[in-house]
Amino acid sequence: MRYAEAGYNLEIDLATGNIERVETDPKMTRLHLGGLGTSVKIHWDRVSAETQPFDPENLLIFSTGLFNGTPVFSSNRSVVTFLSPQSGLLAYPMMGGFFSAELKYAGYDKVIFVNKSPTWVYLWINNDKVEIRDATHLQGKGALEVQDLIREELNEPRAQIAAIGLAGENRVFTASIEQSRSSASRLGGGAVMGDKRIKAIAVRGTKDVNIARPAEFMEEMNGVTEYINFRNANPIPDVPTILSGIGSPQEMVHTDEKWHTESFAWGNARVRRKDFWTKENEENWTKTQLAAVERFVSCFNCPQHCGALVSHNNGPRYMMKCFGKLTYCLGAYVDDLGFNFRILQRATEYGVDSFSTPQILAFAVELYEAGILTDKDFEGCPSDKEGRFFWLLDRVVRREGIGDILADGVYYAARKIGNGAEAYDHNTIKKHEQLPLKLGMLDPLYFLMYSTNEKISITQIEGQWPQTPFPTLEQREAFVKDWPQLPDEKFKKYLLDWEMRGEMANPYYPTPQISAEIVDWMEMLHNIDDATGICCGMSSFCLKPPYHIHNYPKLISAATGMDIDEAELKKIANRNRNLHRALNNRKGMTRADEKPPADHWKKRYPELEEELLSTYYKFKGWNHDGIPTREKLEELDLAYVADDLEQRGILKNGQH
C-alpha cells in the first residue's frame, strides 16, 4: 500500500487520445517527495534541451503534493509545470482551492499532458473513468463561465475544474489557469494549455488517501493546531499588518493598504506615492472593499480565510485573491479601488496574470504618452485612465492590433516596437514582469532572491526573514525570543545585529555570506512546501509559521512511513533545487541572466552585487556561471545530471 500519495500518474497523449494510468516508482518519492520535486525529475527525463514552449513535446503537468488530500492543514497547492513561453525556462505556478485534493481522491498524483489535440477538448476524471471530451462548444467562453457550464454538462456540481479563458486560447504569454478561488498565474501556463487545445480539466474523486502511522501523525497535527490558534490570537507586533499573521496573505481580511500603496510602484513600475494613504482614501477603500465582500473563503482544509467571494455594485461574482486587489489601480494611476474590482472581474474571466498584465497595460500607456506608440495604435481607445485600461485589456486578450504585440509581455513587446521602447522595459527579470517594487537602497537578500531563484517571482521566494530591520534593539530582542522555526540559532544573532542605518545596515549587512545562508534557508522551505503541496502562507512565506524544518520531517515520516530526519529532508530539498537549476542551465540560463533591472534600486553597488552572486554560488556548490559542480551533484545523488551537463559542454572539468 502507498501512503500519503496515490501511487499513480495519469498520462494523456492529446494527439492520439491515448489515456494511461501509470504506477509510479516509490523510490522517486524517497528522492524527491512529490509535487514540484517529482515533476522536475519527469521534465528532466522526458523533455529534451532543444524542446521549445509551443512544441508538442513540451509537457504540461498538473501535480498534487505529498500532503494533498491528507488532514495536514493548508495542503492544497496544485503545481503546474511547463516550459514557459516568456522565459523559455521551466516554470511552476501554483494554485490553491480544492483541485489537488480532488485529484488525489480520484487516485492520481499527477496528470501529464503531451502533444497537442487537433480540436478543443476538456479532460473529465471521475475516479477510474477518464474521458477526453469535446470542448468546441466552450471555445470563446470565459475561464469562470466554462467551469459552471462543465459542471452543468456533467451534472456534477462538486467537480473541481481548472480552465482557461480567451487569453489562454490566444496564447497570450501571461495567460493564467483559473480554478475555484485560485489560479496558476505566472509565466504563461494558460498559453501552453491553450496551445495544446485543452480548455479545461474537471475532476471528481471519492477514494481514500492512507496515512502510514495515524496516531503519530495526528499527535503532530495537534501541535500544529495549537500553534495556529496561538498565532491567530497573537499577531506579530512591530511588522506591517500583512506580515503579522499567517495566511497567503489575508489581503481580503485586511483593509489597511498603507504599506502596499505607498511602498509599491505605480504606473509602469516607476513612481512611489508616499503620501497616498490619506484618511479620505483609507475610508473610501475600506468602504469599497467591505461592500464588495460577500463572504470570506478558504482553500481545502485551511483554517484561514485568505480569499473572498466578491461582487462590486452587484456585478458578477468572482473569487478575489492576493495582490490582484490592487494591481490594476496601481498600474492605471486610478485612486478608486472600485475600478480594480471591476477590471479584475473581466481579467479573471479572460484568464490573465494579475501581476504581469497591469504592467503590460501601463507600459503601453507610457509608450503612447512618450510618442513611441501613436494615435493609430490607440485608434478607438477612450482617453480616460479607466477606459484605456479596459480597452487595452480587451485588445491584449484578443491579440487585436497593438494588443497582439503586447500579448507577448513587456520584454518581447519592447523589442518588437523598438524606437526607444526598450528603455521602458525596466521591471523584467529573465523576460518576466516582476512585482512593482522599486526601492532606494540595495537589499542584499532581495538581490539574491530576485536574481537567482527558479520561480522568477518574488512572492514565491521571500518569507521567514523580516523584510526590514526593527528600529530598536528591544524590538529585535523581543522578536528573536520566541523563534522555534529557526534551522540554526545563529540566525538570531544575524537579526539582532541588523540595524536601520550604519555599518550593520543595507547594503553591506547582512554580509554576502550571511545573505547566502538566509536565502538558502528561505529557499529550502519553499522547496519543501512545493513538494508537499503546502500553501506558502502557512510555511515559507510568513514569519514564524506553523510548519518548519523541525516538524516537517515528523509529519512526512508519520504520513508516508518513510523515516526522514531533518538532514535527509534538507538534502531532498537541495536535490530538487539543484535538479531544477541544472535543467534551466541546460536551457541556456547562466550568470549573465541573474541581474535585477538597472533601476530596481536607486542606489546600486556593482562590485558588491558581483560579490553577492559569487558568494551565494560558492555556498550553493555552483561554479562561477551558476552551474552546479559535479561534486555538488554527486553529493546529491545527481551524477547523471553532471554527466549530461559535461556532455553538452555546459559543465567543464567538473566545475569551470
Side-chain angles (χ1 to χ4, degrees):
M1 180 180 290
R2 302 285 281 274
Y3 295 106
E5 59 184 347
Y8 290 91
N9 292 339
L10 196 57
E11 298 261 0
I12 311 294
D13 188 326
L14 294 162
T16 65
N18 185 61
I19 299 172
E20 190 174 359
R21 182 172 179 259
V22 179
E23 186 173 5
T24 58
D25 185 351
K27 293 179 181 177
M28 288 300 99
T29 307
R30 187 86 202 195
L31 288 170
H32 301 283
L33 288 186
L36 177 63
T38 45
S39 288
V40 171
K41 171 62 173 169
I42 293 170
H43 281 278
W44 175 273
D45 288 342
R46 294 174 52 178
V47 182
S48 73
E50 293 70 37
T51 299
Q52 298 302 308
F54 291 138
D55 287 347
E57 296 79 13
N58 185 14
L59 295 182
L60 177 64
I61 303 178
F62 286 74
S63 181
T64 70
L66 189 66
F67 284 151
N68 293 150
T70 75
V72 173
F73 290 133
S74 308
S75 55
N76 49 52
R77 259 37 189 179
S78 304
V79 182
V80 186
T81 48
F82 52 89
L83 292 178
S84 165
Q86 268 201 319
S87 67
L89 306 174
L90 184 67
Y92 62 106
M94 287 168 282
M95 56 189 182
F98 293 76
F99 186 89
S100 59
E102 203 72 30
L103 183 59
K104 187 77 75 72
Y105 292 148
Y108 308 101
D109 295 311
K110 302 180 191 293
V111 181
I112 303 172
F113 292 100
V114 67
N115 293 324
K116 303 182 184 184
S117 172
T119 60
W120 283 98
V121 298
Y122 73 89
L123 186 70
W124 170 222
I125 306 168
N126 187 7
N127 291 325
D128 295 334
K129 185 180 180 180
V130 183
E131 302 174 74
I132 298 175
R133 298 173 65 109
D134 175 62
T136 53
H137 60 298
L138 301 173
Q139 190 175 358
K141 303 294 185 182
L144 305 181
E145 179 187 11
V146 76
Q147 295 179 48
D148 291 333
L149 290 172
I150 289 176
R151 289 190 183 99
E152 183 179 348
E153 181 176 308
L154 298 172
N155 193 27
E156 182 48 85
R158 294 168 295 182
Q160 295 301 314
I161 301 169
I164 60 171
L166 275 177
E169 290 184 18
N170 293 325
R171 302 199 314 181
V172 174
F173 283 14
T174 60
S176 59
I177 301 168
E178 299 293 329
Q179 176 266 141
S180 182
R181 60 130 301 185
S182 191
S183 63
S185 296
R186 307 293 269 159
L187 290 161
V192 174
M193 193 165 163
D195 181 61
K196 293 184 179 297
R197 295 189 184 89
I198 308 166
K199 183 62 178 176
I201 306 165
V203 59
R204 175 69 180 138
T206 58
K207 298 182 181 181
D208 293 330
V209 175
N210 297 299
I211 298 297
R213 302 196 288 263
E216 178 184 330
F217 177 86
M218 291 310 300
E219 183 179 352
E220 289 300 325
M221 282 308 303
N222 288 339
V224 172
T225 304
E226 290 176 7
Y227 186 81
I228 290 172
N229 292 336
F230 170 77
R231 279 297 312 277
N232 284 336
N234 297 275
I236 296 174
D238 303 322
V239 298
T241 303
I242 205 68
L243 301 176
S244 63
I246 49 179
S248 183
Q250 300 186 63
E251 290 189 18
M252 294 311 298
V253 175
H254 301 303
T255 59
D256 180 2
E257 294 296 347
K258 177 178 175 62
W259 186 79
H260 278 136
T261 55
E262 296 186 349
S263 298
F264 283 26
W266 292 62
N268 185 20
R270 293 282 191 187
V271 178
R272 291 170 65 196
R273 299 171 67 184
K274 296 184 179 181
D275 57 351
F276 175 79
W277 198 246
T278 61
K279 185 68 174 177
E280 181 182 7
N281 281 338
E282 180 181 7
E283 290 175 354
N284 289 338
W285 280 44
T286 300
K287 182 180 178 180
T288 299
Q289 179 172 324
L290 294 179
V293 174
E294 295 198 353
R295 62 182 173 88
F296 294 109
V297 294
S298 300
C299 294
F300 172 81
N301 195 26
C302 183
Q304 307 303 98
H305 296 88
C306 303
L309 177 66
V310 300
S311 173
H312 178 68
N313 287 343
N314 297 314
R317 294 177 173 181
Y318 66 102
M319 298 291 190
M320 174 70 71
K321 50 198 180 290
C322 199
F323 194 61
K325 181 178 76 173
L326 306 182
T327 48
Y328 286 92
C329 279
L330 292 176
Y333 285 104
V334 172
D335 294 355
D336 174 24
L337 181 61
F339 161 70
N340 210 103
F341 280 112
R342 292 192 301 274
I343 195 170
L344 185 59
Q345 186 277 327
R346 183 180 299 187
T348 304
E349 195 73 81
Y350 281 151
V352 287
D353 175 7
S354 60
F355 278 11
S356 289
T357 308
Q359 288 190 53
I360 294 169
L361 308 186
F363 164 76
V365 170
E366 198 167 296
L367 292 186
Y368 179 61
E369 292 174 343
I372 296 172
L373 292 178
T374 66
D375 289 338
K376 183 179 180 180
D377 296 311
F378 274 63
E379 185 176 357
C381 179
S383 58
D384 65 290
K385 294 178 181 178
E386 294 187 16
R388 283 193 304 196
F389 256 50
F390 273 105
W391 185 87
L392 282 166
L393 176 63
D394 292 344
R395 297 304 174 284
V396 167
V397 166
R398 291 181 168 87
R399 282 192 175 270
E400 295 176 350
I402 189 61
D404 189 34
I405 296 174
L406 297 171
D408 289 348
V410 170
Y411 176 88
Y412 292 107
R415 282 143 188 83
K416 196 165 187 177
I417 294 167
N419 195 30
E422 296 89 342
Y424 295 83
D425 168 27
H426 59 91
N427 197 41
T428 60
I429 299 175
K430 297 169 186 170
K431 307 174 185 175
H432 179 50
E433 298 82 11
Q434 295 298 312
L435 195 69
L437 183 61
K438 301 292 186 79
L439 299 174
M441 180 64 72
L442 172 77
D443 184 318
L445 299 179
Y446 277 77
F447 172 83
L448 288 177
M449 289 187 287
Y450 270 115
S451 299
T452 65
N453 197 272
E454 313 309 327
K455 178 70 179 182
I456 320 177
S457 174
I458 194 65
T459 55
Q460 291 291 336
I461 302 167
E462 63 182 337
Q464 302 285 299
W465 188 261
Q467 293 182 343
T468 56
F470 293 98
T472 69
L473 177 60
E474 289 75 20
Q475 289 172 313
R476 298 196 289 275
E477 288 175 337
F479 186 85
V480 304
K481 185 177 181 180
D482 179 27
W483 205 359
Q485 295 86 353
L486 288 177
D488 193 296
E489 288 294 302
K490 65 184 177 183
F491 290 103
K492 287 185 178 180
K493 177 171 173 50
Y494 296 163
L495 191 131
L496 288 170
D497 290 344
W498 192 26
E499 298 179 341
M500 297 286 291
R501 295 175 181 81
E503 294 181 359
M504 303 301 283
N506 292 350
Y508 294 109
Y509 193 89
T511 66
Q513 179 62 31
I514 293 174
S515 296
E517 294 174 12
I518 295 172
V519 170
D520 181 70
W521 163 33
M522 289 191 281
E523 287 177 346
M524 174 185 68
L525 263 295
H526 276 289
N527 271 276
I528 296 170
D529 289 351
D530 298 344
T532 57
I534 293 288
C535 169
C536 69
M538 297 292 272
S539 177
S540 53
F541 179 80
C542 58
L543 303 174
K544 300 186 177 181
Y547 301 112
H548 46 79
I549 190 59
H550 304 306
N551 63 8
Y552 257 143
K554 298 174 183 177
L555 284 166
I556 292 170
S557 298
T560 65
M562 302 185 301
D563 289 318
I564 291 177
D565 60 15
E566 290 186 22
E568 184 171 1
L569 184 56
K570 290 177 181 178
K571 184 175 181 179
I572 292 171
N574 208 5
R575 179 184 297 124
N576 290 344
R577 171 78 165 99
N578 277 267
L579 181 60
H580 196 160
R581 179 75 180 188
L583 192 153
N584 282 340
N585 292 145
R586 193 165 70 170
K587 294 297 297 180
M589 187 187 74
T590 67
R591 185 187 185 110
D593 299 302
E594 305 214 294
K595 293 182 179 180
D599 67 344
H600 194 82
W601 292 279
K602 289 182 180 179
K603 185 79 171 175
R604 298 292 287 269
Y605 299 80
E607 291 184 4
L608 175 59
E609 291 178 16
E610 291 301 314
E611 183 184 357
L612 280 163
L613 266 188
S614 295
T615 303
Y616 173 80
Y617 284 179
K618 183 178 180 181
F619 180 84
K620 298 294 287 188
W622 302 345
N623 69 13
H624 180 78
D625 288 327
I627 300 165
T629 63
R630 172 171 283 280
E631 180 182 7
K632 171 55 67 173
L633 292 170
E634 289 183 346
E635 173 190 318
L636 298 172
D637 310 305
L638 296 172
Y640 64 92
V641 175
D643 294 341
D644 183 273
L645 295 180
E646 287 184 353
Q647 289 169 9
R648 295 177 185 277
I650 296 171
L651 186 62
K652 300 175 181 178
N653 299 323
Q655 282 196 333
H656 301 294

